[in-house]
Amino acid sequence: MRQSGILPALATSLALLGVSAGGATAQGSEVTLRSIDGSISLSGALLDFDGESYRIATTIGEISVDALQVECVGAGCPPPEALRSIYTIAGSNTIGVGLMPAFIDGYALDLDSFLVQEVSSPTEMMLTVQDQSENPLAEITVLAAGSDSGFDALLSGQAALAMSSRRVTENEVRAAANAGLGNLISPEQELIIGLDGILVLTARSNPVRALTLPQLAGIFSGRLRNWADVGGPDAPISVYALTDDTGTRGVFENVVLSPIGARITPAAQEFATNVEVSDAVAADPFGIGFAGFAFERNAQAISIREACGLQSAPTVFNIKTEEYPLARRLYLYRGNGPLPPQAQALLRYISSDEAQDLIVEAGFVDQALSTKPLEELGRRIANTVLSTQEEVSFSDVREMFGALVNAERASTTFRFETGSSNLDARAVRDVARMAELIASGAFSTKEVIFVGFTDAVGQAGLNRSLSVRRAAQVVQAIEAAAPPGALDGQAISVLGLGEISPVGCNDTFEGRSLNRRVEVWLRDRV
């Protein structure tokens, strides 16, 4: 029997208390709480059960134990159905089909339970988590009809959690607040569960390997109808798209088509799922479509070349740094009220390091730190040289690469809320992760360099000073998040490079937002 990842903590806690079994010292029915693998037991009088934890009286005092990590034995135990949670998770097809079943399966394994899955349609399934006695612990309906439908279900009370492959809109935030559901963009209600990149797909036989955003806009709006218009063969372009209620389509239209005031051409063949789009494109030598990162399948993902000359491929590292133009975050949203116990426990599991492994296995991109040495960042070097601003001299570029030549870039990149010096939602969580990594000694042999960058708006000298302040701001946030003294032995430095090395075009709002960032670089200590 597999030992749960939470059971060792339970064992440690009880060992520190000197407990293996005890007698009741207060009124109440005698029960025994046994860990799921049977290695630990604790007896006492059951004082309370709130659906999430047992509170029992023992010879050493009252102890609370997570109900999902133990089996209760005794006449006073609540019936099995008292532990059962029945709830719905609704929203994004990308998450609901490609990722949520993997999360729930991993959660079941963590409880030493097993999963029964019933699929009603491509967008609806019932997932039942059962204990070893086949008692259902959770009955979860997953409705994957698109991000819009997730927010509708959350606001109407039909779903406990909303899955979204785009961030909640201002209108949805207002609607949730008016419905008494709190602030959906608060850290308590918005959870970034992983990263994704929208792939632009063609058939593998298609010789076109990169397209600009304006070219994509022309193709998907129907204004460009022949591959010869974009350097390909003389053949009509067949457009494939997801339906307009999906978050993937919403993000794609916002980034690619909104700048020219267009939408997907009515001539496009539409499908409800990423799998259908990818397979249709793969079977059509002159087709083009878009789908989530996990759904390249037998099609070919092409690079994005921006109008200012910057080019980016949909690699894992580029998606982690959010420098691929169609990179995006995957979200779970909840209201501000209590969740069913099993839903609350599932959220804790999804936030764990173990769940990050499942994200990769499912074909998405996790948020764990990865690194690349400077010599492997050839496209970054080319982009830096080709896109140097007028106020930036070649000596400035030399200075940058001289400072980083023996270093490697970490994927963790801190960005800020639009029009603000406040760190955005992902950066706030990355501050906590970085503080934990440094405190654990993960970089004890390294110098950690926080490198600030800005967009090209304003004077180069002022931007250089601003980039230093932003990098220092991130370091201060990490120091505040770490235990006292945890960073004392770590070599940390701050560097500000201003508008050097843009990762997005400075003549677009999205590009300027990408360029306002603080990167993390690591170098061996000498």
Side-chain angles (χ1 to χ4, degrees):
M1 198 176 287
R2 180 182 180 274
Q3 188 182 57
S4 162
I6 305 176
L7 286 176
L10 175 63
T12 300
S13 298
L14 296 181
L16 290 172
L17 292 169
V19 174
S20 61
T25 58
Q27 292 182 349
S29 300
E30 184 80 11
V31 299
T32 297
L33 305 180
R34 283 202 297 257
S35 62
I36 295 170
D37 67 352
S39 64
I40 307 166
S41 65
L42 177 65
S43 296
L46 181 61
L47 300 178
D48 183 49
F49 170 69
D50 61 6
E52 294 189 57
S53 60
Y54 298 107
R55 185 165 60 89
I56 65 173
T58 73
T59 54
I60 62 170
E62 295 182 8
I63 296 176
S64 292
V65 179
D66 186 348
L68 301 181
Q69 300 303 319
V70 295
E71 176 187 13
C72 184
V73 180
C77 291
E81 57 266 24
L83 287 168
R84 184 187 311 170
S85 294
I86 302 174
Y87 61 96
T88 296
I89 305 175
S92 164
N93 173 269
T94 299
I95 301 172
V97 173
L99 189 52
M100 188 53 65
F103 278 149
I104 296 174
D105 186 45
Y107 170 66
L109 286 172
D110 200 57
L111 293 178
D112 210 13
S113 302
F114 59 96
L115 188 67
V116 177
Q117 180 171 321
E118 300 174 24
V119 179
S120 303
S121 74
T123 60
E124 180 176 352
M125 66 188 75
M126 169 72 78
L127 302 167
T128 303
V129 179
Q130 296 183 346
D131 65 18
Q132 295 297 321
S133 300
E134 299 188 3
N135 296 312
L137 297 175
E139 295 176 6
I140 310 167
T141 300
V142 177
L143 302 175
S147 298
D148 291 0
S149 68
F151 290 111
D152 290 342
L154 186 66
L155 265 62
S156 66
Q158 296 176 330
L161 299 171
M163 306 174 287
S164 183
S165 53
R166 59 167 175 79
R167 199 179 191 199
V168 62
T169 67
E170 292 182 3
N171 287 339
E172 288 162 343
V173 170
R174 282 194 295 268
N178 292 337
L181 295 178
N183 180 9
L184 290 186
I185 59 173
S186 69
E188 295 76 25
Q189 294 182 237
E190 179 185 64
L191 176 64
I192 300 170
I193 61 175
L195 305 172
D196 190 20
I198 300 177
L199 304 179
V200 177
L201 300 172
T202 64
R204 293 190 177 183
S205 59
N206 194 317
V208 175
R209 294 291 183 266
L211 290 169
T212 67
L213 291 175
Q215 286 174 328
L216 290 175
I219 289 171
F220 281 92
S221 66
R223 300 176 186 182
L224 296 178
R225 301 181 181 179
N226 195 294
W227 281 106
D229 295 331
V230 292
D234 184 10
I237 300 173
S238 301
V239 177
Y240 299 90
L242 287 161
T243 52
D244 63 5
D245 57 353
T246 61
T248 302
R249 175 163 169 168
V251 172
F252 185 85
E253 287 191 328
N254 184 58
V255 175
V256 176
L257 294 166
S258 291
I260 65 168
R263 297 203 66 187
I264 299 289
T265 172
Q269 297 183 55
E270 296 185 357
F271 298 94
T273 69
N274 290 275
V275 170
E276 292 171 303
V277 171
S278 182
D279 289 350
V281 171
D284 184 347
F286 305 116
I288 190 169
F290 57 88
F293 185 76
F295 301 97
E296 181 174 4
R297 295 167 66 84
N298 293 317
Q300 168 186 256
I302 65 174
S303 296
I304 305 297
R305 186 173 62 250
E306 296 191 59
C308 60
L310 300 177
Q311 183 168 318
S312 179
T315 65
V316 169
F317 194 84
N318 286 343
I319 290 171
K320 282 191 175 188
T321 62
E322 298 183 302
E323 290 164 14
Y324 172 62
L326 296 177
R328 60 176 175 172
R329 302 169 183 184
L330 302 177
Y331 298 89
L332 276 180
Y333 291 92
R334 56 167 293 180
N336 60 352
L339 288 175
Q342 290 281 351
Q344 183 66 52
L346 176 63
L347 280 183
R348 288 196 296 268
Y349 175 78
I350 290 173
S351 300
S352 69
D353 291 340
E354 186 174 357
Q356 292 293 306
D357 295 335
L358 296 178
I359 294 170
V360 177
E361 291 174 10
F364 294 89
V365 178
D366 65 3
Q367 299 178 75
L369 182 144
S370 58
T371 60
K372 263 189 185 303
L374 183 61
E375 56 264 29
E376 291 184 16
L377 298 174
R379 174 57 60 181
R380 168 70 178 273
I381 296 171
N383 286 344
T384 299
V385 174
L386 292 174
S387 62
T388 297
Q389 305 297 313
E390 291 183 4
E391 291 190 69
V392 177
S393 67
F394 181 70
S395 62
D396 293 327
V397 176
R398 270 187 79 179
E399 178 191 356
M400 169 185 167
F401 290 118
L404 301 176
V405 65
N406 294 318
E408 54 185 0
R409 185 184 173 187
S411 56
T412 300
T413 302
F414 298 92
R415 288 192 169 86
F416 303 84
E417 292 283 2
T418 302
S420 169
S421 61
N422 296 326
L423 293 168
D424 70 11
R426 182 184 173 194
V428 168
R429 291 180 173 87
D430 282 341
V431 161
R433 290 191 182 99
M434 185 60 66
E436 183 178 350
L437 283 169
I438 294 177
S440 71
F443 307 128
S444 60
T445 63
K446 304 281 187 180
E447 176 189 7
V448 184
I449 312 167
F450 293 87
V451 187
F453 295 89
T454 67
D455 59 29
V457 177
Q459 297 179 12
L462 295 177
N463 285 334
R464 186 79 173 249
S465 298
L466 175 60
S467 66
V468 174
R469 292 197 300 272
R470 289 289 174 84
Q473 175 187 341
V474 170
V475 173
Q476 290 168 2
I478 292 170
E479 289 173 341
L487 275 58
D488 289 350
Q490 178 64 56
I492 294 176
S493 59
V494 168
L495 179 64
L497 294 174
E499 56 197 59
I500 298 175
S501 194
V503 294
C505 294
N506 276 302
D507 56 358
T508 67
F509 174 81
E510 293 79 9
R512 290 191 296 273
S513 296
L514 285 175
N515 291 334
R516 295 189 291 265
R517 68 198 188 276
V518 174
E519 297 179 356
V520 179
W521 290 73
L522 305 171
R523 179 166 50 209
D524 289 336
R525 297 173 69 171
V526 294

